Amino acid sequence: MGQPSVPPPPLAPSLQPQPGPTPGGGPTTGSGGGTKIRCAGCRLILTVAPGLMEFVCPTCQLPQMLPPELLPGNNLIPSTGNPNPSNPNPLPSLQAHGIDPTKIQLPCANCKSILNVPYGLARFNCPQCGVDLAVDVSTMNQFFPRSLPVEEVNEVAIDVEREEQEGGLAGETFMDYRPAKLSVGCPHPDPIVETSSLSAVQPPDPMYKLNIEKELETSNALSCLQIETLVYACQRHLQHLQNETRAGFFVGDGAGVGKGRTIAGLIWENWQHGRRKALWISVGSDLKFDARRDLDDVGATCVKVHALNKLPYSKLDSKSVGVSEGVVFLTYNSLIASSERGRSRMQQLVQWCGLSFDGLVIFDECHKAKNLVPEAGSRPTRTGEAVLEIQAKLPEARVIYCSATGASEPRNMGYMVRLGLWGPGTSFSDFREFLGALEKGGVGALELVAMDMKARGMFVCRTLSYKGAEFEVVEAPLDAKMTEMYKKAAEFWAELRVELLSANAILMEEKTNSSQLWRLYWAGHQRFFRHLCMSAKVPAVVELAKQALDKNKCVVIGLQSTGEARTEEAVSKHGLELDDFVSGPRELLLKFVEENYPLPEKPESLPEGEGKEIPRKRQSTTPGISLKGRVRKVAKWQPASGEETNEDTESGSDHESSESDDEFQICDICNGEGDRKQLIRCACCGQLVHPTCLDPPLIDIASEEWTCGLCKQKTDEYLRARHAYIEELTKRYEGAMERKKKILEIVQSLDLPNNPLDDIIDQLGGPDSVAEITGRRGMLVRSSCGKGVTYQARNTKDVSLEMINMHEKQLFMDGRKLVAIISEAGSAGVSLQADKRALNQRRRVHLTLELPWSADRAIQQFGRTHRSNQASAPEYRLLFTNLGGERRFASIVAKRLETLGALTQGDRRAGPSLSAYNYDSSYGKKALMLMYKGILEQESLPVVPPGCLLEKPETIQEFISKAKAALVSVGIVRDSSLGSGKESGKPSGHIVDSDMHDVGRFLNRLLGLPPEIQNRVFELFSSILDLVIQNVRTEGNLDSGIVDIKANIIELQKKPKTVYVDHVSGASTVLFTFTLDRGITWEFASTLLDEKRKGGIASANDGFYESKRTWLGRSHFLLAYESSIPGTCKIVRPTSGEAIREMTLAELKSKYKKIPTLEKARCGWVDEYEVSSRQCMHGPNCKLGHYCTVGRRIQEVNVLGGLILPIWREIEDALSKQARQSYKRIRVVRIETTTENQRIVGLLIPNAAVEPVLQDLAWVDDVDD
């Protein structure tokens, strides 16, 4: 193909809307009349001028021509200029299908698909092939045609669409609770609340009539909300699931609402119906006394409670045991227990109940049964399997799940099979499918589960009001001493790792233990720095505690680990009296090095007499040498098989054989025969010689001590080599021992902190002032003279070890001790609130020195000080250091608290605000991968590292080198070595694929870095994470959970339509259509500005602004006033009201200009206000037509409320077919009418998706609004 004779005009890839045709596919027409085709070389889209057949790609310089179907004369060439006069009817210029005019069209570098990319988006994944793409701004100009103007994009419309995707302002998280459809019973003694999301869901009508209702009204033993639980639980138990098992009920009330007394009421109600057997499974056997108290409180004094751990394994209803009815109280540990004879408690309970058992099975604190469906690579817990098994064996049992933290994440709901959320008759065939849908749907889907369960009458979740309780995250920065201590400890661990690598490399034959060594190393590494972080917070804890005591408050300090194991090891090693408190980190390090340092096998030295033994050993192992010497072999000849002989064979007596050889012994020197007694034998080779034949002759030497000259020479050589080998092994072993000894000495010399628990008790006045409620048996107490400490048991002669925690708790509640330290092991079920019945009613200040590993444990710990009947709500202080690595622990709990609030309370904002610390998410994994690739210099970093300047690239390169060396030191970058040539001095290496997305491992290992580089690396990770989340928000794919729809006027447009009815509960799914007016009138906006000016809080930047650019001949207007955050402004638009997103002053001034006169502002504001009632911001020719709502003041919003899970699949399928990406994801919204205050929570259905949803669901009936 030759080049054209006349050079073609300069061509460039076009950025006009185009469908991204396949090579030779359908062409499109450029705005200048040219034809768009894909280059055969670089695959970019080119605009070929009309009439041109041959051309050269300006990018890759490849000469080429139009494909045959596009040559002149072919009707497929669309051209606005109609260059072919023979064709009087040219094809009209068509807009490419699927083009979003608000976005820029770019080709994917991998699959070449044309993508709609939002302006300003730097990184994203291709929706076709999934490859990670980055927009290089420096090369963007090649995508714009040089001869054609770029199509204008309405930037304000993009901003408004982004603001609308973020939703409205968050409403109140909690609402005061009262039973919606019952009026039986007295009010609860304390304020009870429910999340606003759950409060918008109405439970089914109560149809069950309690037998004990009159008795409860008389005694007031149960409050109205506890009676409500009884009614709905008993009503639910009358229903059966599709698999013919009886439906179960979930009591998710928080601490202090009175779950125990509610359970007692359920037992008493079932007792009245003749169901005289019940199983009550809980976490501790001592809670049996609480069960007895609760039953007595509701009037069930005749119901006996039998502790299973006190009963034998024989039949419970036998004459010897005599348990024919009542409540069998057991723990989850008992449920999986068995006797030595193989009889299990499970068999015993099932036999006692019987297969037709229809009484109560209560799983109290049912979060103990979690991990039935664990993460990949883990095994289900025996407890979870046992809970599932007993439900399967008792299909008619009335099951109650009871826990404030029953589902800290959806995976932990696997044992709740009686709720009917998955299985036959549902949208999910099994639990894994249900779990997959929830994880795919994000936080919004999790929030739907709680609301769905309430709507079907299987779930209640109320909690004590947190009004008055304070949550505060307190940062405890490291002081100079602790910073230096931490730095030296981090350096030591890095050096220890290098030492272990060297020591382990020598022991090639023991590589089988290498993986075990590194597992122990990294486990110890994590525990060590966790202890160090705890110790770093001790000064802050002590200071906060003393401040609280000075303000006439009392203190509760929560932690998880007591360091008892390290203390007991030190005491067993050094005795009961020590110079100072034990340092947990030091003892941990000493134990690790002592037990796990790789040592070669200790060589055994040659024993005395080894030189004499060696010749005999050599003789016995040398083939071809007869132990008998040179004798006549015919005497030992074996006859052939079957031949008879009278001679003794060699297998006969050695003594007889030797005697027969004595007569014919031959000298190996002279070959003369002689008497055996006249010859001497070499102790090594066994040859026989006459002493006189030797040179010089030997006289007076025992035969067994003589060695011939050749053998003696060989023996001496062997012994010398053996000694040298043993010396080398000994030297190697002693060298390793010496290195180990030096390491232990270094550990001893390190300045490391004491055990935090002992340190806090000591600084707050000792055991006489601090109540310790933990699981440890003994403690270290400072001597009265102030020198040294002594180990002593926690209990005394008057108080047993089993009762010591209850004794300490009583001292605290009586006010004799004003500080209490609690651990998980010792505080289960303990109430430490400011009880109105207790002497100590001071306000509690709850300090979390160490955050629990899981959200359910965190909630349980918080519940120790926030319970019913309290004089004041507690203050919670959650302490973190300023170390980036410690956020690992906060990250885990923040993630659990977020999902826990979503699942069990229907609102992820219901828990303490720790979501800012949730790094272990899909966004965090992506940010981590981008950071790793940047540090390994596989890609450029998406943000400027902390402490670096973009105009000084050497600072960025220096940081990358330091960060890479840091990651090498903690084992994330592997197979590292120093480069040569241009890369001289730079560490190289790689990161394994499994580590590229492992945020947990990154945060764990980060702890082992010195504070300075640790914080810089973490700040880089955090900055990239912010960028990733911002990009996701720009794309409209951010999972923000429940979003509040706000407007000035919200009205129900028409009668709601029922689209589905659940056959079990009778609950329904209803489609609501609302009309919204979001606009702000000129009068309201001007009044708002006047009030700020009159109040003296206005700034020079406050006022009305007009966009600098115009679109379709129109400008856009807004009101801006400075917010509480310096450098940012609140934005109010005439079309959509106040935006959540606060705009920076720099962005405001770059896009808008301040309007000098109010009259001009009024005219523009009123005009945009009026126009926005009829059209969106894209103008009258918007590609989405009336479905587009961007910047439209008056909107129609469709919300699907009520039951969602049963029709999940139909909704998911309908949304997946939507054109806009933001319409495809499930969004949970909350909307409240302004006239009647009717609140609806449900799924937002885009207007374009309403018809597809209704086509899949038959309308059932109209319902009243």
Side-chain angles (χ1 to χ4, degrees), residues 1179-1195:
N1181 298 322
C1182 177
K1183 304 306 176 187
L1184 293 180
H1186 67 280
Y1187 288 134
C1188 183
T1189 59
V1190 175
R1192 179 175 287 189
R1193 178 167 63 85
I1194 297 179
Q1195 296 183 358

Side-chain angles (χ1 to χ4, degrees), residues 504-702:
N504 202 47
I506 299 174
L507 308 177
M508 299 299 293
E509 69 278 6
E510 297 183 18
K511 272 193 173 178
T512 51
N513 295 327
S514 178
S515 59
Q516 176 69 7
L517 169 67
W518 293 115
R519 276 197 297 270
L520 293 171
Y521 173 86
W522 291 118
H525 181 274
Q526 181 178 337
R527 285 197 299 271
F528 177 90
F529 286 103
R530 189 182 180 194
H531 276 292
L532 219 55
C533 288
M534 282 179 59
S535 301
K537 290 178 282 188
V538 167
V541 168
V542 172
E543 181 64 26
L544 288 172
K546 289 182 178 179
Q547 290 176 6
L549 294 174
D550 291 341
K551 295 177 181 178
N552 203 31
K553 301 175 183 178
C554 60
V555 180
V556 176
I557 301 171
L559 46 75
Q560 296 299 297
S561 50
T562 61
E564 181 183 27
R566 305 286 89 79
T567 301
E568 290 185 347
E569 288 169 4
V571 168
S572 62
K573 190 187 304 181
H574 304 294
L576 298 178
E577 296 184 358
L578 304 173
D579 294 334
D580 201 353
F581 292 111
V582 172
S583 170
R586 177 179 289 109
E587 293 299 322
L588 186 149
L589 252 180
L590 289 173
K591 183 180 180 182
F592 171 75
V593 175
E594 191 69 51
E595 296 181 356
N596 299 289
Y597 185 86
L599 290 173
E601 189 176 350
K602 185 176 181 180
E604 297 181 2
S605 58
L606 287 175
E608 295 183 7
E610 179 70 11
K612 297 179 181 179
E613 292 295 328
I614 288 176
R616 284 191 281 274
K617 292 178 182 178
R618 288 182 58 197
Q619 179 186 17
S620 63
T621 57
T622 304
I625 300 295
S626 171
L627 295 179
K628 307 291 184 183
R630 290 178 62 195
V631 297
R632 292 187 178 181
K633 298 295 183 184
V634 68
K636 298 175 185 176
W637 173 78
Q638 297 289 334
S641 177
E643 293 187 14
E644 296 182 1
T645 175
N646 293 326
E647 299 182 17
D648 292 332
T649 63
E650 192 174 31
S651 62
S653 170
D654 288 343
H655 175 73
E656 293 176 356
S657 175
S658 297
E659 286 186 352
S660 64
D661 290 340
D662 282 347
E663 301 177 7
F664 303 99
Q665 298 293 342
I666 301 173
C667 175
D668 284 312
I669 297 179
C670 64
N671 289 329
E673 293 186 5
D675 188 355
R676 171 66 182 85
K677 296 180 181 179
Q678 299 176 354
L679 301 175
I680 59 175
R681 174 184 292 180
C682 174
C684 183
C685 63
Q687 66 174 332
L688 294 170
V689 298
H690 291 106
T692 54
C693 293
L694 297 173
D695 186 19
L698 291 179
I699 304 173
D700 297 332
I701 186 170

